[in-house]
Structures are given as C-alpha cells and as structure tokens.
Amino acid sequence: MDDFRISLYSFLLQRFIDKGKILKVKPGNTLFEECERVKNIYLLLEGSLALGRSHRKGKEFTLKILDGEEVLIEYQMFKEAPKYHFHAKAITECKFLQIKKEDFEEFMLGDMRAMSYLTRWLSSRYIKSQLRCQDLMINGKKGGLYSILIRLASRYGIRVNDGILIDLPLTHQELANLTYGTREVIQRMLKELREEEIILYDGQKIIIKDLSYLKRETDCQNCPSEICGVN
C-alpha cells in the first residue's frame, strides 16, 4: 500500500476529523469543477471518483481514479486565489472530509512533519504522472491502453482462477478517457486482446490472463506499488 499517501492522509485525518465538515456526493455528481476557485481540500473517506478535464469540444479526459483514503489537493494550493485545473466526479457514492484552505495552509506552514509528508506525497504523484506521459509518448495508443491495464491490475487486481481480475467496472468510454483515446479505438484493441486470449470479461470487469504479455509490450519496469497505479 502507498505509505506516502497513508502518512499524509492519516496525519490530516487525525488533525481535522473533529474540525472539518462531512460531505456526501452521489455517483455522477461533481465535487468541484475546472476553473472553480479553491476554497477547500478534501479527504476521501469512502467511495471512488475520477479527476479529469473537459476539452472545449466536449470530450472528457480522466487524469486519475481515486478511492478510499485519498487526499484531494490542488497543486497550486499556496498560491493566492488558486483555481482548480481539473474536475472531480464521483464514480460511486463518496464521502469526504472537507478542510478549509486557510486552515490547511496554516497547519502545513506551522508543522515541519506535516510539510515533509506533503512533500513526499507530491513527489510520488509527480513520478506517477511522468511515467504515464512516458507510456503514451513511447508506446502510443496501444501501449497506453496496456499500461493502464497494468496499473489497474496493480491497484485493483484480485487473483482468480483465470488470471487477475480488475475489481473495478469500467466502460469502454471510461477506458478511453483514461488513455486519451476514442471509444472505438479502445473497443477494437480490447477485441484484439480477447481474440489473442490476453484478457477476458467477467461482466463489466476485465480479467487479465497474460499480464506478462502486456508488460513485455510496454517494457514495464515493474515499479513498486506506490508508483504503479492510476491515482
């Protein structure tokens, strides 16, 4: 499990659990929108949500999928009057602890241990973003899909008789949003993987039968679990 994330999350939860406000967001609803002024940070207590951006032509791109015990922080938090560069949309029913921006910043600036946790957390997120960009630039759309499947298996994978079940239902459109592709292209590539018996479906969930194939095709470096993920 991600020690950086848990350290920061647990530290903030302990500090603000009795001072913050509890919010619930239903599936499909947004917690905040792009360009909205940042007034709070959030601790995700329950549920799953997607952080993404919307193109002016209407297409959505999913930057990350987050689930329980996550911290939602706009990276320009300490800047005067920052705005969100992405939106947060609930995939399942979510529960959050809301912490006021001013309270968070005052706490961080006054506690060196808290700042060290934040620095390590930001460092791991930066590395993850760099590696995902690398996968798309070097391996193209197909490698981007394979990389996302590897990362989903690392984060949500459960060993079953046929291979590794990705225990997160995702539509072809949602996979396309994660790989910055189109639903039609993703559909075609998944069909090829099924025909080659690399994957199979269990309802809306994917089972990876041959993870080593995906890793070979993407020159996977077998990064530790705190780096290999979609969060």
Side-chain angles (χ1 to χ4, degrees):
M1 205 170 269
D2 188 340
D3 291 336
F4 296 156
R5 180 192 66 185
I6 292 174
S7 296
L8 179 63
Y9 178 91
S10 299
F11 202 65
L12 291 175
L13 186 64
Q14 183 179 16
R15 176 66 174 80
F16 290 102
I17 188 62
D18 296 324
K19 299 180 180 181
K21 177 182 177 183
I22 301 296
L23 295 178
K24 291 185 178 180
V25 179
K26 294 183 177 180
N29 291 349
T30 56
L31 178 64
F32 52 77
E33 298 283 357
E34 292 175 61
C35 299
E36 184 178 314
R37 186 167 176 175
V38 178
K39 297 180 180 178
N40 307 289
I41 73 154
Y42 301 91
L43 302 187
L44 178 58
L45 303 175
E46 296 175 8
S48 300
L49 79 155
L51 300 183
R53 300 198 68 183
S54 299
H55 190 272
R56 57 188 176 84
K57 293 184 179 179
K59 179 166 176 57
E60 286 194 6
F61 301 96
T62 301
L63 304 176
K64 300 178 182 181
I65 294 177
L66 306 180
D67 47 32
E69 298 191 354
E70 267 289 2
V71 186
L72 281 77
I73 302 174
E74 167 56 48
Y75 294 152
Q76 290 187 318
M77 174 58 66
F78 293 93
K79 181 180 178 181
E80 185 177 352
K83 294 183 179 180
Y84 288 110
H85 288 77
F86 46 82
H87 60 255
K89 183 180 293 184
I91 299 173
T92 65
E93 183 165 330
C94 294
K95 185 159 83 171
F96 302 91
L97 176 65
Q98 176 182 289
I99 304 169
K100 291 182 179 179
K101 172 180 177 291
E102 294 78 10
D103 294 342
F104 171 78
E105 291 178 344
E106 181 181 357
F107 175 56
M108 284 291 153
L109 293 174
D111 191 306
M112 291 300 297
R113 187 164 53 142
M115 186 59 77
S116 71
Y117 289 154
L118 177 61
T119 302
R120 290 192 300 174
W121 182 87
L122 289 170
S123 175
S124 70
R125 292 313 186 269
Y126 173 77
I127 293 171
K128 285 182 181 182
S129 298
Q130 291 292 94
L131 290 175
R132 283 190 62 186
C133 288
Q134 171 187 293
D135 290 341
L136 287 170
M137 288 188 292
I138 294 176
N139 299 312
K141 294 296 183 185
K142 182 173 287 189
L145 172 62
Y146 293 1
S147 171
I148 287 296
L149 291 175
I150 293 168
R151 292 171 185 277
L152 287 168
S154 173
R155 185 69 183 89
Y156 301 100
I158 298 174
R159 289 212 167 266
V160 294
N161 290 334
D162 292 314
I164 300 174
L165 170 70
I166 298 175
D167 193 25
L168 180 71
L170 290 170
T171 65
H172 290 167
Q173 185 59 61
E174 287 167 334
L175 278 172
N177 292 348
L178 273 169
T179 58
Y180 315 127
T182 64
R183 182 178 57 81
E184 293 76 16
V185 169
I186 294 299
Q187 214 165 6
R188 186 178 69 249
M189 291 192 291
L190 289 173
K191 182 182 178 183
E192 291 172 359
L193 289 174
R194 287 200 308 274
E195 290 173 349
E196 295 170 11
E197 298 188 345
I198 307 299
I199 68 169
L200 57 86
Y201 276 93
D202 181 5
Q204 255 195 326
K205 297 179 181 179
I206 294 174
I207 295 176
I208 300 177
K209 296 182 66 177
D210 191 349
L211 185 62
S212 60
Y213 171 85
L214 300 179
K215 290 187 172 184
R216 284 196 307 272
E217 291 296 304
T218 56
D219 191 26
C220 176
Q221 301 301 304
N222 292 305
C223 297
S225 59
E226 64 264 22
I227 300 300
C228 184
V230 289
N231 57 335

